[in-house]
Amino acid sequence: MEGDLFTVALLSSGLRLATPIILAALGGAFCARAGVLNLALEGKMLLGAFVAIVATFYLGNTFAGIFVAMLLGGLLGYLFAFFYLRYQVNLIILALAINLLIGELTVYVMRVLFGNVGSWSDPSIQRLPDFEIPLLSSIPILGDILSGYNFIVYFSWVACIVGYIVLFHSKFGRHIRAVGENKQAAETLGINVRRVQVSAMVIAGMLCALGGAFLSVGHLSLFTRNMSNGLGWVAVTANIFGFQHPLGVLLTGYFFGLAEAFAVRIQNVTDLPPNLIQLLPQFATLAALILVALREKANLALIRRRFRRQLARGEMQSAAGD
Amino acid sequence: MRRDIVKAVLRRTPCGNLMANAVELRNITKYFPSSNVLANNDVTLSITEGEVHALVGENGAGKTTLMNIFYGLHRPDSGEILVNGQPVEIHHPDDAIKLGIGMVHQHFKLVPSFTIAENIMLGIEPNQYGMLKKKDEAEMVRQLANDFGLPVDPYARIRDLPVGMQQRVEILKALQREAKILILDEPTAVLTPQEVKELLAVVRNLAQRGRTIIFITHKLVEVKDVADRLSVMRDGKMIGTRTVAETSIPDMARMMVGRSVLLELDKKPATPGEVVFAADNITVTDASGLPAVRHISFSVREGEILGIAGVSGNGQTELVEAISGMRPVEGGTILFQGKDITRRTVGERRKQGMAHIPEDRIKIGLNLETNLDENLVVNRYKLPEFNRLGFMILSAMKRFAAFAVKQFSIAAAQPGEMIATLSGGNMQKVVLARELSGEPKFVIANQPTRGLDVGSIEFVHRSLVDVRDRQAAVLLISVELDEILSLSDRVLVMYRGTVAGEVDPTTVTKEEIGLLMGGSSLPGTATSAGSVQAVPKPQKEVVA
């Protein structure tokens, strides 16, 4: 039994579970780079999950359902931007309002449409098909880890790489970073700050919705009340932990996905109370945040120690005189 | 076009020759309802092509507002703008840039983590299908820099650059956008005298190349050095335009202030007594843990003003914070009246007779959320006359406020009035009243006249000299060289966290002190070497 813990299956289910986190965190990274704190990832993800399954049910096509979800996610992102930029609503309050609103709204609509409160599914709903990547899947172990997912999983990897190229090698990305770091600098050079921030938030909304869609029609084929279950908040952490960098987010997202997968696995092999084990990803989150804070502190301590050592050696005077 | 000319003739613009006017601002009025300020009141200004036009006035006279309107950052409530004789609507900086207007703001608008090239090309990046062409970009910047004789390293990051260099980037930024009209908003405020000299040469050079320069300043010597004409603003109104060659500095000052100004402060010679305060070999780090003050020793005696000169950001802030107890020292001792107070808290130091006029009266000096009375007693509310069993005695506070208002002539203030409604000068008087009443033995005055009008500056200076004459010790920190030289009895110059030298304010020349501020030593070093080296913050240590 022990040997099963760190198998290929664990790594691959980690990648699967990381997908919604990576997508939402990437959206968060775009917002953060544009100077907007986006704590509404959770709500946007939940909206995506709900809309995707409902649209799939009515349209009879999973891809179309996902497309509609992303559209509405983008719209919610635009709404967020609208309230923030037009009416200067406090970002935290706005995010909390959206998270709570979506949480209740999905339950309400589910009840009106399907008369259900807890969860809903329909046999007609097709889960997004998995597919193998031709050459990659034939490599022994790597093939098992990196292949055999649905398109959202692959998309999340590609999105991070594309996100990196956009942010650091395109004109649009440079404008995003300039707006985030010094809004006035961008503004005085005639960059439309509003448009840049709105774009970033619409992109974030669409990515979050796609992450949510992965939950309802990619991973499973049902919707449950509060389905995102804190994954949006984990994404907020993954974004900070990943230094608001698309590739960093890919790694930290995977880290959290792995923690989730590990928690699921370990339940099968130990006698530890399951409630405690379910806390594992949350502990990982906490540890990650502490790490980020410690890194800053360690950096300062290092500089200070070096400074003190020089002080002791009496080298300051000569260093100052250069 | 024809109609415009006719209109202009009817208006009788002061300049006369219409076609040569690069800029005309007519009857501009701007009111800020949130602060209830009429920043521009029917202001008219015309600027000839190819001239350096100084726009002078005290802080708050409305110069910057006028230029922000011209640059599209504010919308005027009424009035019109003409560029090259054509009436234009400028809604956004974008419009201004398209019209060939460039602005170098007082606070630089640069992205610190970007390189010089990235900052200069921001918004006009060379690209292919939206992807950046970074090599082309650097090449374009290098080309531009060479064309104008302002060499820069395109790949250097802004956050690593000294202030003078950052300013150069701002100028290049405007030139890259083919600015024909360049607005410089108080460009010399952050520079050392040598950097100033260099900048003025750059400005003259640009004018010779056919650029029109609007040079905002309140330093009249610079106007004399660089400008062809000057326009003076006061209290939001345009006072008049003169040719610089035909106007003397005292005349300019009179136009600026509206009355004759006492440029010299008359004070008795100091009668220094015992040492009140001594810093021995102290070392302080800044917020990010980097050394800001290194091995500084000095002492202040009773009855004297010790001035600390230096370009802003050379450790003055950290030094003051360490002395006043707001920041721990890494090494060294601080003695106050012979006692070691290195580890004492702010409250304990104040109790022993230390007073502190902080550099930022809005954020640290005052609490804008509350009223005059509370702000005045915040350093003495623990005294028995102000509280009984932990409850404040409101009548005593009110009495004290009334006394302070009278004593420090805080104009138009009533006890109980909200602090935020007062003008900058009166706010500073509240701080002075709080810190200077109650016989302090040692007063730290950090930039005590920053952003004040001439009348208030005179008052602050007078108050500090009065405290000195009552035999208190005063430590004056200022980036205004004139202030340091006219008030201080002894002067130390700070550079990169060390004392670069001590000078006698009665004999030292501005050039000598400028050398020290730029990091050169006194006896005959070349000026050009030290001029661009003045670093705003001590850079990372060079580990030996």
Side-chain angles (χ1 to χ4, degrees), chain A residues 22-179:
Chain A
I22 290 172
L23 285 169
L26 182 63
F30 265 88
C31 286
R33 289 282 177 176
V36 185
L37 178 70
N38 194 341
L39 296 179
L41 302 180
E42 174 82 7
K44 288 173 186 168
M45 199 189 263
L46 188 56
L47 179 87
F50 182 68
V51 171
I53 198 163
V54 173
T56 302
F57 175 67
Y58 285 113
L59 298 173
N61 181 314
T62 314
F63 284 97
I66 291 171
F67 182 73
V68 172
M70 283 180 77
L71 227 60
L72 274 178
L75 189 70
L76 186 63
Y78 182 79
L79 219 69
F80 189 86
F82 177 77
F83 279 113
Y84 169 55
L85 294 171
R86 172 65 74 83
Y87 296 108
Q88 266 122 47
V89 180
N90 181 300
L91 276 173
I92 293 173
I93 292 172
L94 191 59
L96 290 179
I98 285 183
N99 289 341
L100 290 173
L101 183 76
I102 300 296
E104 298 308 317
L105 202 65
T106 46
V107 172
Y108 172 75
V109 175
M110 182 161 66
R111 191 172 201 170
V112 169
L113 290 181
F114 312 112
N116 253 328
V117 197
S119 66
W120 175 74
S121 185
D122 189 276
S124 75
I125 294 164
Q126 296 285 318
R127 201 170 70 84
L128 209 56
D130 290 344
F131 61 89
E132 303 281 338
I133 299 177
L135 281 170
L136 195 64
S137 58
S138 53
I139 305 170
I141 296 170
L142 212 60
D144 291 338
I145 298 173
L146 292 179
S147 187
Y149 306 106
N150 62 43
F151 101 93
I152 300 180
V153 179
Y154 299 125
F155 180 85
S156 73
W157 308 344
V158 175
C160 283
I161 294 163
V162 170
Y164 164 72
I165 294 170
V166 166
L167 265 184
F168 292 93
H169 293 282
S170 84
K171 192 171 160 164
F172 174 60
R174 181 179 284 176
H175 290 187
I176 289 185
R177 288 185 297 131
V179 167

Side-chain angles (χ1 to χ4, degrees), chain A residues 174 181-182 300 308 322, chain B residues 110 113 137 288 330 496:
Chain A
R174 181 179 284 176
E181 204 174 322
N182 189 344
L300 278 187
R308 285 217 174 110
D322 62 351
Chain B
L110 297 168
S113 76
E137 186 170 83
S288 56
E330 298 289 325
R496 287 180 133 198

Side-chain angles (χ1 to χ4, degrees), chain B residues 3-233:
Chain B
R3 235 182 78 231
D4 299 326
I5 294 175
V6 172
K7 223 158 69 184
V9 170
L10 287 175
R11 289 256 169 104
R12 252 180 266 248
T13 48
C15 198
N17 54 340
L18 283 162
M19 294 318 290
N21 272 352
V23 181
E24 275 184 63
L25 302 171
R26 288 185 189 157
N27 311 94
I28 303 284
T29 296
K30 176 72 186 176
Y31 173 70
F32 290 109
S34 57
S35 52
N36 187 23
V37 172
L38 188 58
N40 284 163
N41 185 358
D42 197 21
V43 174
T44 298
L45 172 68
S46 18
I47 287 160
T48 318
E49 200 179 316
E51 73 168 337
V52 179
H53 195 112
L55 182 59
V56 301
E58 297 185 64
N59 291 307
K63 304 165 295 203
T64 301
T65 305
L66 186 66
M67 286 303 117
N68 281 343
I69 287 171
F70 183 44
Y71 194 61
L73 288 169
H74 293 322
R75 296 283 300 143
D77 293 315
S78 66
E80 60 177 341
I81 301 171
L82 281 79
V83 174
N84 298 326
Q86 303 277 1
V88 291
E89 288 282 326
I90 305 176
H91 294 275
H92 192 267
D94 228 6
D95 302 334
I97 293 168
K98 284 196 191 101
L99 288 164
I101 304 165
M103 184 159 179
V104 175
H105 297 268
Q106 196 172 352
H107 305 287
F108 302 149
K109 313 255 188 231
L110 297 168
V111 184
S113 76
F114 282 21
T115 65
I116 288 184
E118 286 170 349
N119 266 287
I120 291 175
M121 303 307 292
L122 186 59
I124 48 167
E125 298 89 349
N127 65 85
Q128 195 169 22
Y129 313 117
M131 302 310 288
L132 298 168
K133 296 162 90 176
K134 294 185 179 179
K135 277 215 181 91
D136 292 9
E137 186 170 83
E139 198 38 55
M140 283 166 82
V141 166
R142 198 169 279 142
Q143 186 71 40
L144 171 82
N146 288 343
D147 284 353
F148 283 93
L150 297 168
V152 291
D153 170 14
Y155 295 108
R157 292 199 184 275
I158 294 296
R159 59 165 178 245
D160 300 331
L161 294 179
V163 180
M165 203 49 125
Q166 294 188 9
Q167 190 172 54
R168 177 175 290 187
V169 175
E170 283 281 16
I171 293 173
L172 286 171
K173 219 161 87 177
L175 293 173
Q176 178 66 37
R177 284 161 182 76
E178 290 174 12
K180 296 278 179 281
I181 302 157
L182 199 57
I183 308 164
L184 304 176
D185 188 4
E186 306 232 2
T188 58
V190 288
L191 304 181
T192 64
Q194 276 74 20
E195 282 177 315
V196 169
K197 215 177 252 173
E198 227 172 77
L199 174 74
L200 296 186
V202 168
V203 167
R204 287 257 45 118
N205 182 281
L206 289 173
Q208 269 159 22
R209 288 164 184 255
R211 301 298 190 278
T212 306
I213 314 265
I214 304 175
F215 194 94
I216 306 179
T217 185
H218 59 252
K219 292 177 184 161
L220 299 174
V221 185
E222 289 165 10
V223 175
K224 210 62 185 162
D225 278 353
V226 77
D228 301 308
R229 294 196 300 157
L230 83 158
S231 292
V232 181
M233 288 187 75

